[in-house]
Amino acid sequence: MTDFRPLPQPCKDVLFFNADAPAGDLFDTADQRMAAALSLLHIVEFSDSRDFVQHQATRLAAALGVLLADARVLYEAAHLRARDSR
């Protein structure tokens, strides 16, 4: 039986992941979210600070928040799944 759990989100019952998926798949999906967040941070690192205005910083923070919240939940599920399969 699948164990669908919600991802962090402002509205209930919209996005879910299967917590019964293999630990490796959960980890890889979390890793993908983390890599996307790091890519966004690299944009800031290599941008001219004069061009990086408050509006862009707010958008970046919102995107990073979503990606990192997803990654955290997926990493936790991968850890639990790996522990339970021992």
Side-chain angles (χ1 to χ4, degrees):
M1 176 150 218
T2 55
D3 180 13
F4 288 105
R5 296 185 189 177
L7 289 167
Q9 55 198 322
C11 302
K12 294 181 180 180
D13 300 329
V14 176
L15 295 173
F16 296 86
F17 71 96
N18 182 5
D20 282 338
D25 291 351
L26 292 166
F27 180 85
D28 289 344
T29 303
D31 198 49
Q32 181 185 41
R33 300 299 196 278
M34 187 67 70
L38 290 171
S39 293
L40 287 172
L41 287 174
H42 284 293
I43 290 170
V44 175
E45 180 182 0
F46 295 111
S47 71
D48 184 351
S49 62
R50 290 173 294 178
D51 293 336
F52 196 74
V53 296
Q54 184 65 33
H55 176 71
Q56 292 168 323
T58 301
R59 289 177 132 182
L60 176 68
L64 288 171
V66 169
L67 291 169
L68 294 173
D70 284 1
R72 180 185 51 84
V73 170
L74 289 162
Y75 279 130
E76 288 172 0
H79 175 75
L80 290 173
R81 187 78 172 124
R83 187 184 68 192
D84 291 346
S85 66
R86 289 182 195 166

